[in-house]
Amino acid sequence: MGRRRAVSWRHRARYAFDRTLARSTGALLGWLAACCLAIVVPVSTLLVWTDPRAPRSLTERLVAVWRTSAETLRLGGVTGAPLRMLLSVFLGLIALLCVSTLVGVITTGLGDRLEELRRGRSRVLEKGHAVVLGWSDQVFTVVGEMVISQVGRVRGAVAVLADRDSAVMASELSAALGVTRGVRVVCRTGAPTDPAALALLTPAAAHCVLVLPGDDDADAEVVRVLLALRALLGAGAGPPVVAAVRDERFLTAARLAAGPRGFVLDVESTAARLLVQAARHPGLVRALRDLLDLTGAEFHVVHAPDALGLTFAEISSRYEDACAAGYLAADGRALLTPASGARCGPGDRLIVVARDDRPPVAKREGTAVESTVMAGPPDRQRSFSKTLLLGWNRRAPLVMESLCRTAQPGSHLHVVSGADDGPVTAGAVGPTDDERVAVTYHVGEPTRPDTLRALDLFGYDSVIALAPDAGPHRARPDDQLLLTLLNLRAVEEETGRALPVVAELTDHRSLALAPLGPEWDAVVRGELTSLVMTRIAQNTGMAAVFEELFAARGGALALRPASHYVLPGRVASFATVVASALTRGECVIGYRVHDAGTPRREADVRLAPGKAERRVWTSSDEILVVTPPDAGARHPGTASDELPTRPDMLPEARRGTEDRPARGPAPE
């Protein structure tokens, strides 16, 4: 064995010191006292011996050293017999111990309180606030809209509860929302499935409660949150609750757990319908966002006592700054685009697009309508469509179903997906149930340029690009979609032609990275659904409206050329456009001026402009309308998918309006 290396005295001293400190608190105090004395006594001695006025005798100088040291250590300066000096030291140590203990207790208490506040465990004592339960990408949209809804309240607040660090949540929300205009955003840490944690947000006093779906396969947790709310508040009590699930298998259970005051949305089905609407009408995504958010004009359900007994045609021209779209009946049914002679009955409320939810101001005489500039009846024949679906995820079947349900006979749907993602083998062709739409499948990676170049991309009316589902090897599924979009942009730049592309993104942060072309649009999964949730939370009557608007009709919003309603190049009032559309059974709610230098997705839509507004209408202008039911656009006998509404409203909310008689007294 080798010779052992000698241990230095420095290491031995450090080891002995560490071992002594590890024994007890008393040893630590002893070392602290020894260190203090080792510094204070020599320095005090030096001060006395260097003082010209110091006493001459050694005894008196030692007494002076004692007093100086005692004053420094706050031990008192009693002199005399040794016993008196020891008692002075004892009292000084007791006083020091008491002060130190008091300081320690105060410091520990403040530290525990600050830690509790940081963990977000204190109770929120608010009234009329908005409560958001859960955390997902939708939380930024939902909280942002709730902040807008709380502006103007005396103590506006939005309370968020999630099983995350409250400081981290507050930091992320602050970075995303910016200035909240006096509305407090309060974050609390806790499991939303725990009634005790829910009680921290005082949901019984809240204006509304929103339950967000978490990551994929988290719908069971949404049901548990709804059950926890039910256990805390009781069945049928408390504020309205709006929730969302991703898998329709949990929809019935979630609605039962939510109770009669709950509204549950199917995120995947709603997102699929909105994606198809965006593909059918380029630029409609911007209009949908404007209609669903809480800034500017949007859908409202309002009481209008002066409209009782009036026909829908009279109501449409009566209000200057509101566009009527239908009635919300007293029994909860939403009647969009009713017949022009249908009268407003007792208990009915108006469905309007306006800037606020106050009753619209009626004019004694509506704005004059210039029938001479109205366009003739359009060609009723609708052509078939060709749609390309690139990519595959679990929402793809819902997109296909919605496409086939709203397409015309003779339409074609071409699906291109990878070998591991696609539903069938290459070249398979299959018609839908009533042979209206032929569906062709092709195996190929949309991220590969050769796959896209083998397709006749410019032969399709619309191209829908989907991001794959997240998985173990797909931490960021939008990456593959961004590659597909880059390849499509390369085709556009090579040919100098624009493609009609609609992309579905899963992460809102990918929207800034997406290489969108001039005729392209992008839909962030869950964003529009989040806006629907916030609108229902603000007004529960909107549930039936959105059921009819997005589900029962397969998409009732459309952008049509202005030449369908007024002659191009002629000056006409907006009231003339409204009246012209009403003769076709459509309700005009806004318009968009198309600028050749601005992409469609960025062009502003003017919602509910004044009826007296006059302008020169061109062929490039577009009119935003609510269309009447089109029985030919659906499969016969096929019930529409679920959307936000109460279980007891489902049969009524899904009735079409084509077989509804005019309500109220018959027109004279």
Side-chain angles (χ1 to χ4, degrees):
M1 295 181 60
R3 185 178 179 182
R4 293 184 60 184
R5 186 176 180 181
V7 180
S8 65
W9 66 269
R10 180 180 179 183
H11 289 85
R12 290 180 180 275
R14 176 174 294 180
Y15 176 71
F17 180 74
D18 294 343
R19 192 172 57 180
T20 305
L21 290 182
R23 288 179 181 175
S24 63
T25 305
L28 179 61
L29 293 176
W31 275 108
L32 181 62
C35 292
C36 289
L37 292 174
I39 296 174
V40 172
V41 173
V43 173
S44 299
T45 303
L46 183 62
L47 288 174
V48 171
W49 252 259
T50 57
D51 187 1
R53 295 173 298 178
R56 297 286 182 180
S57 66
L58 178 62
T59 302
E60 292 179 343
R61 288 196 173 193
L62 291 177
V63 171
V65 170
W66 156 249
R67 287 180 175 174
T68 303
S69 301
E71 290 175 358
T72 303
L73 297 176
R74 299 295 189 270
L75 299 178
V78 177
T79 58
L83 180 60
R84 288 175 54 82
M85 298 176 66
L86 288 176
L87 290 175
S88 176
V89 171
F90 177 74
L91 290 177
L93 292 175
I94 293 298
L96 181 62
L97 180 61
C98 291
V99 172
S100 301
T101 303
L102 180 61
V103 171
V105 170
I106 295 175
T107 303
T108 303
L110 289 176
D112 292 343
R113 182 59 178 169
L114 292 175
E115 180 65 19
E116 181 181 355
L117 292 175
R118 192 190 69 83
R119 292 198 310 264
R121 299 299 300 171
S122 60
R123 190 171 181 180
V124 177
L125 299 178
E126 298 287 348
K127 187 176 181 179
H129 57 296
V131 173
V132 179
L133 304 177
W135 189 272
S136 68
D137 288 340
Q138 297 175 253
V139 71
F140 303 104
T141 301
V142 170
V143 174
E145 292 298 306
M146 288 295 97
V147 166
I148 295 175
S149 70
Q150 291 284 318
V151 172
R153 293 178 180 265
V154 177
R155 293 184 59 182
V158 179
V160 182
L161 176 68
D163 200 5
R164 291 164 53 97
D165 187 271
S166 62
V168 175
M169 290 190 292
S171 177
E172 293 182 7
L173 288 172
S174 177
L177 303 180
V179 180
T180 57
R181 293 183 288 180
V183 178
R184 298 173 57 243
V185 178
V186 183
C187 297
R188 292 292 179 264
T189 299
T193 56
D194 182 8
L198 290 176
L200 295 176
L201 271 59
T202 321
H207 174 263
C208 59
V209 178
L210 297 100
V211 183
L212 303 183
D215 297 331
D216 295 340
D217 303 326
D219 292 339
E221 185 175 354
V222 173
V223 176
R224 287 181 61 89
V225 173
L226 295 174
L227 290 174
L229 282 170
R230 190 187 187 100
L232 180 66
L233 303 176
V241 178
V242 183
V245 295
R246 300 189 185 277
D247 193 334
E248 63 179 357
R249 294 177 299 175
F250 292 87
L251 197 58
T252 301
R255 284 178 172 165
L256 289 174
R261 294 183 62 81
F263 304 85
V264 183
L265 286 75
D266 183 354
V267 174
E268 305 294 354
S269 297
T270 306
R273 295 190 194 98
L274 296 175
L275 184 64
V276 171
Q277 289 192 53
R280 296 279 189 215
H281 305 281
L284 188 62
V285 174
R286 177 66 177 267
L288 285 171
R289 290 196 186 101
D290 292 343
L291 276 171
L292 295 175
D293 63 21
L294 294 175
T295 58
E298 60 270 343
F299 276 106
H300 294 288
V301 176
V302 298
H303 290 278
D306 58 331
L308 181 63
L310 298 179
T311 65
F312 187 71
E314 294 171 336
I315 293 173
S316 297
S317 60
R318 184 178 179 86
Y319 302 109
E320 172 66 20
D321 298 322
C323 293
Y327 300 123
L328 184 67
D331 58 4
R333 291 179 298 138
L335 309 177
L336 294 177
T337 61
S340 59
R343 296 182 181 273
C344 182
D348 290 350
R349 289 180 288 171
L350 291 182
I351 302 172
V352 300
V353 175
R355 294 194 173 276
D356 51 51
D357 56 358
R358 291 176 295 182
V361 180
K363 296 180 62 176
R364 291 185 178 180
E365 296 181 1
T367 304
V369 174
E370 301 143 302
S371 57
T372 57
V373 298
M374 289 185 181
D379 186 5
R380 291 287 181 180
Q381 185 177 4
R382 296 172 62 183
S383 60
F384 59 87
S385 61
K386 290 186 65 178
T387 305
L388 174 62
L389 182 63
L390 294 176
W392 191 265
N393 55 32
R394 69 183 189 183
R395 291 170 299 284
L398 300 173
V399 173
M400 293 177 59
E401 179 185 355
S402 184
L403 281 168
C404 295
R405 185 161 48 92
T406 57
Q408 294 300 304
S411 297
H412 181 237
L413 173 61
H414 189 187
V415 181
V416 178
S417 61
D420 297 332
D421 301 327
V424 295
T425 59
V429 180
T432 53
D433 294 338
D434 59 357
E435 299 183 353
R436 294 157 56 93
V437 180
V439 182
T440 305
Y441 300 90
H442 176 75
V443 175
E445 292 293 341
T447 57
R448 295 177 59 88
D450 54 344
T451 300
L452 298 179
R453 296 181 190 279
L455 302 171
D456 181 18
L457 294 175
F458 296 97
Y460 296 98
D461 299 302
S462 59
V463 179
I464 301 177
L466 302 178
D469 290 323
H473 305 292
R474 292 171 178 167
R476 294 181 300 184
D478 282 347
D479 289 352
Q480 293 195 39
L481 178 60
L482 294 176
L483 289 176
T484 301
L485 298 182
L486 285 170
N487 290 328
L488 291 173
R489 284 289 291 148
V491 173
E492 281 191 333
E493 293 178 358
E494 290 176 4
T495 60
R497 300 170 63 185
L499 288 168
V501 178
V502 176
E504 185 212 30
L505 300 168
T506 60
D507 190 343
H508 68 281
R509 292 170 295 185
S510 301
L511 187 60
L513 307 178
L516 303 180
E519 298 296 325
W520 295 22
D521 221 327
V523 177
V524 179
R525 189 190 71 173
E527 179 189 18
L528 296 179
T529 308
S530 302
L531 295 176
V532 173
M533 292 179 64
T534 58
R535 294 304 321 283
I536 296 175
Q538 291 302 303
N539 188 340
T540 55
M542 295 302 301
V545 177
F546 291 137
E547 162 76 9
E548 183 72 12
L549 193 65
F550 296 131
R553 304 189 181 192
L557 293 175
L559 283 166
R560 305 205 190 284
S563 57
H564 285 194
Y565 309 100
V566 291
L567 298 176
R570 302 288 295 274
V571 178
S573 63
F574 185 70
T576 303
V577 179
V578 172
S580 179
L582 195 60
T583 61
R584 297 163 172 79
E586 300 173 345
C587 297
V588 175
I589 58 177
Y591 71 89
R592 178 172 63 187
V593 178
H594 180 60
D595 182 5
T598 303
R600 287 180 183 270
R601 65 179 177 276
E602 298 178 3
D604 291 327
V605 177
R606 287 210 61 192
L607 297 173
K611 296 290 196 327
E613 179 180 325
R614 298 175 61 84
R615 64 182 308 275
V616 178
W617 301 93
T618 65
S619 300
S620 61
D621 295 340
E622 293 176 302
I623 307 299
L624 181 61
V625 298
V626 181
T627 62
D630 186 359
R634 298 184 226 165
H635 292 310
T638 301
S640 38
D641 295 329
E642 310 286 346
L643 245 184
T645 184
R646 297 196 302 269
D648 57 335
M649 287 174 51
L650 284 175
E652 293 293 333
R654 286 181 177 164
R655 293 180 184 172
T657 56
E658 59 273 5
D659 56 351
R660 291 175 184 155
R663 296 157 43 258
E668 300 179 354

